[in-house]
Amino acid sequence: MKKAAGNRQRPHPTNSQWREPDLALLKELISAEVSLPSEAPRALLSVRLSTLTTETTSPVRQELDLRRLARERGYRVVGVASDLNVSAVRVPPWRRRELGHWLNDRVPEFDVLLFWKLDRLVRRLTDLSTMIDWCLRHQKNLVSKHDAIDLSSPAGKVMAELIGGIAEFEAAAISTRVTSLWDYARTQSDWLVGKPPYGYTVDDRGRLVIDPQEQRVLRWCLGAALRGVSARRMTTVLIRARVPTGGGGQWSAGTLLRRLRNPALMGFRVSESKNGGARRSETVLGADGNPIRVADPIVTEAEWLSLQAALGERAKSQPTRREGGATEFLGVLVCADCGTNMTAHRSRGKVRTYEYLRCRRCPSGGLGAPDPESVYGRLTDEVMSALGSEPVLVREYAPGTGTRDRRKRVESTIAHYMTGLEPGGRYTRTSFTRRQAEQALEKLIADLEGLDPQTARDRWLQTSSGGTFRDRWQQEGRETLAADLRRAGITCSVSRHKVPGVRAPKVGLEPMIPADAKERLVVKRDAFTGGSP
């Protein structure tokens, strides 16, 4: 089995909004940290914005204000978690890209979490309650620049929950206003808000009008579909012709099919519906029960019905999509030729239905890999043989606060006795007091030497669960196995070779295990839900 190298850590980036005065102040604030004692509390700065406008507080200002606060309180800044274009209502702190990485994987590296204002951290009272519980368990503090929040005092905890309730109420009010606006806009024939559907644009008067270039694309696709051309083939032609997608990125069969199935092509207002995980656009009906027309049609109703029938004839009944994708091992099984993920597909023949694995880029899926279950079974056997005997280790967080406090008390007491034993000190007046003080001093020095310096640091500990990964995978099933393989960065290269005289290709598997796979297999429990990853 092949070994893969690990990734190097990226430095914290600097964005283009920093001006020369800002950078000069940043340098000054960082330089001031040199004078801080080694045991100064370590601060992590949390910066967040939903959208950057002229009315919002810029990330630069948030960071500089927080660095000033850290200097005032004697904190050493160890990192900045910057999450921009992230909604605090939809994404809790532990699920954000930057802050979530610190909260889940870099807990021992900071003592205090600083944020500019409570609504920059959370917008839901339940999220705030979860963060407070997490901080108390991990002996961390929450400090706000503009709110009276400090978990080191009972009053600070009460104030945090009170302000959190106000922030949640404000977020609910905003959500209600936005929902009301969209509900009203859907009932109007004018185009008030939202992105126009493909094929249309908004003119200077705010009306929805046909985009000539996109109209030609859709009309060509209509004719191709009626001639029996597949969506994949149409996508290939569009990519080769360098036709813009209208939204960035590259054309795909799924994107093209969604646009061709959209009733908005007839000039009707539509709304998106996600039924069973599939994205579909549905016509919005007016008060009279008829579709609301917002623009001239690109295709007639008869043409649209003929188009849907043509697309339906080529549609395949694919396997039910799981939460992780069309195959349980999505992200693990990859094509040996093009490197894309292998996904499960189903094809109906005249006599029976065939299931197979295919990639994304190879012609015809690179011959496909028939019988996905046999591929899954072979992969499971390979992984069980390589890693099944490894013990299951669970990562636990161990704060070093208790040991640090004990060490400080012992060192303070030793200093007290040493001062008293100096010439003229309080313990030198009689031989008895000197002897008692010397004995106490020797005991304290022995206690200090017995304290492990490592236990004075916040750290991760790995404890055994008492079983092996073979036991874990056999008991918890294939989903747990696939999740563990993805976490460890383990992939399996799938090759297909044509065999003369045989219809089905020969399928080869080559698992690739990174050099640090055993370390990455350590189970990291979710500290915010209590479960495993």
Side-chain angles (χ1 to χ4, degrees):
M1 295 186 181
K2 295 181 179 180
K3 304 285 186 180
N7 296 327
R8 297 180 63 185
Q9 185 178 355
R10 296 183 294 107
H12 175 67
T14 305
N15 61 49
S16 59
Q17 298 172 358
W18 287 86
R19 302 172 302 168
E20 287 298 330
D22 298 329
L23 293 173
L25 178 57
L26 176 65
K27 183 178 180 180
E28 176 188 342
L29 293 171
I30 293 176
S31 300
E33 295 182 358
V34 177
S35 60
L36 293 175
S38 59
E39 65 272 11
R42 301 159 299 171
L44 169 65
L45 312 184
S46 175
V47 176
R48 185 198 67 81
L49 276 182
S50 297
T51 55
L52 181 58
T53 66
T54 56
E55 290 79 17
T56 57
T57 306
S58 72
V60 174
R61 179 184 168 191
Q62 288 187 45
E63 179 174 340
L64 292 176
D65 284 353
L66 292 176
R67 285 188 178 273
R68 289 193 191 96
L69 176 62
R71 181 177 63 179
E72 294 170 3
R73 297 204 171 201
Y75 299 156
R76 174 178 286 106
V77 177
V78 294
V80 180
S82 181
D83 294 289
L84 307 184
N85 297 318
V86 176
S87 168
V89 176
R90 298 180 180 179
V91 186
W94 55 92
R95 291 286 179 261
R96 295 170 197 162
R97 182 179 181 87
E98 294 285 340
L99 183 56
H101 176 56
W102 281 88
L103 296 179
N104 290 291
D105 296 317
R106 303 183 66 177
V107 187
E109 300 179 33
F110 68 96
D111 305 305
V112 185
L113 177 60
L114 300 184
F115 47 94
W116 197 77
K117 207 170 182 293
L118 186 58
D119 60 7
R120 298 300 92 199
L121 179 68
V122 294
R123 281 278 194 174
R124 292 184 180 275
L125 189 57
T126 53
D127 292 345
L128 176 61
S129 178
T130 300
M131 281 299 303
I132 291 176
D133 291 343
W134 181 89
C135 287
L136 295 178
R137 290 199 314 270
H138 292 79
Q139 299 182 13
K140 308 297 180 184
N141 193 9
L142 289 176
V143 176
S144 172
K145 168 69 176 177
H146 292 286
D147 299 309
I149 297 176
D150 189 334
L151 297 186
S152 60
S153 67
K157 298 175 187 176
V158 173
M159 184 60 68
E161 295 186 359
L162 176 61
I163 297 175
I166 297 174
E168 182 176 10
F169 178 80
E170 181 183 353
I174 294 174
S175 177
T176 301
R177 290 196 297 269
V178 172
T179 302
S180 177
L181 173 61
W182 278 103
D183 289 343
Y184 173 76
R186 290 192 185 101
T187 63
Q188 304 303 304
S189 57
D190 295 332
W191 193 263
L192 302 179
V193 293
K195 181 181 178 181
Y198 184 83
Y200 293 92
T201 187
V202 179
D203 64 10
D204 297 336
R205 300 168 63 181
R207 297 179 304 179
L208 199 65
V209 295
I210 295 176
D211 183 299
Q213 181 177 354
E214 294 180 357
Q215 179 190 30
R216 287 194 295 270
V217 174
L218 292 170
R219 295 295 304 183
W220 176 83
C221 290
L222 169 64
L226 296 179
R227 294 193 303 270
V229 179
S230 68
R232 186 174 295 274
R233 176 58 183 168
M234 286 188 277
T235 300
T236 302
V237 174
L238 294 174
I239 293 175
R240 289 177 179 176
R242 298 183 179 180
V243 175
T245 62
Q250 192 176 52
W251 284 97
S252 68
T255 299
L256 179 60
L257 286 172
R258 281 195 300 272
R259 291 175 173 178
L260 294 180
R261 291 191 174 114
N262 193 346
L265 297 180
M266 295 180 286
F268 297 145
R269 181 176 294 282
V270 297
S271 62
E272 186 178 81
S273 172
K274 295 182 179 180
N275 186 10
R279 295 171 57 187
R280 293 287 185 269
S281 294
E282 298 179 347
T283 304
V284 177
L285 302 180
D288 58 358
N290 296 319
I292 300 174
R293 185 174 295 280
V294 292
D296 294 332
I298 294 177
V299 299
T300 64
E301 185 174 354
E303 289 175 327
W304 192 81
L305 292 174
S306 299
L307 174 60
Q308 304 315 302
L311 296 177
E313 289 180 1
R314 298 192 60 87
K316 298 178 181 179
S317 176
Q318 298 300 340
T320 303
R321 284 190 66 86
R322 301 176 177 87
E323 183 177 353
T327 171
E328 295 173 10
F329 290 97
L330 186 68
V332 177
L333 294 172
V334 297
C335 175
D337 298 319
C338 68
T340 60
N341 292 330
M342 303 290 292
T343 54
H345 289 256
R346 181 182 296 141
S347 177
R348 293 194 302 266
K350 295 182 179 179
V351 179
R352 52 173 292 189
T353 299
Y354 300 88
E355 289 193 4
Y356 58 96
L357 296 172
R358 63 168 296 162
C359 59
R360 182 176 179 181
R361 295 179 182 167
C362 292
S364 300
L367 301 178
D371 194 5
E373 284 298 324
S374 67
V375 176
Y376 301 158
R378 290 169 56 188
L379 172 62
T380 301
D381 293 340
E382 291 269 9
V383 175
M384 287 284 193
S385 176
L387 300 170
S389 60
E390 294 293 326
V392 178
L393 299 178
V394 180
R395 187 185 69 171
E396 302 287 349
Y397 178 69
T401 307
T403 304
R404 287 197 299 270
D405 293 343
R406 183 183 173 190
R407 189 180 188 90
K408 288 181 180 179
R409 290 195 300 269
V410 173
E411 289 175 345
S412 176
T413 308
I414 289 176
H416 168 77
Y417 277 107
M418 292 183 68
T419 302
L421 287 171
E422 292 178 353
R426 62 184 300 181
Y427 296 119
T428 61
R429 297 174 183 176
T430 67
S431 59
F432 175 77
T433 55
R434 176 183 289 277
R435 185 169 60 254
Q436 292 295 320
E438 289 175 346
Q439 291 176 358
L441 182 60
E442 290 179 2
K443 184 177 183 303
L444 288 169
I445 293 175
D447 291 344
L448 183 61
E449 293 175 345
L451 292 176
D452 186 355
Q454 295 297 324
T455 61
R457 302 175 181 175
D458 298 337
R459 64 204 182 280
W460 293 114
L461 296 179
Q462 296 181 2
T463 60
S464 174
S465 68
T468 64
F469 276 100
R470 184 185 305 276
D471 301 330
R472 171 181 168 90
W473 294 332
Q474 288 178 345
Q475 294 171 5
E476 300 186 21
R478 192 179 288 170
E479 290 186 2
T480 299
L481 168 61
D484 288 344
L485 296 184
R486 284 190 289 268
R487 186 175 72 256
I490 297 173
T491 59
C492 181
S493 177
V494 182
S495 60
R496 288 88 75 206
H497 304 284
K498 185 67 176 176
V499 179
V502 180
R503 182 176 182 179
K506 181 180 179 181
V507 179
L509 301 181
E510 186 178 8
M512 294 176 286
I513 301 180
D516 60 345
K518 294 180 181 179
E519 290 77 12
R520 295 164 70 175
L521 271 175
V522 174
V523 177
K524 303 174 182 178
R525 299 195 185 281
D526 191 336
F528 296 93
T529 62
S532 57

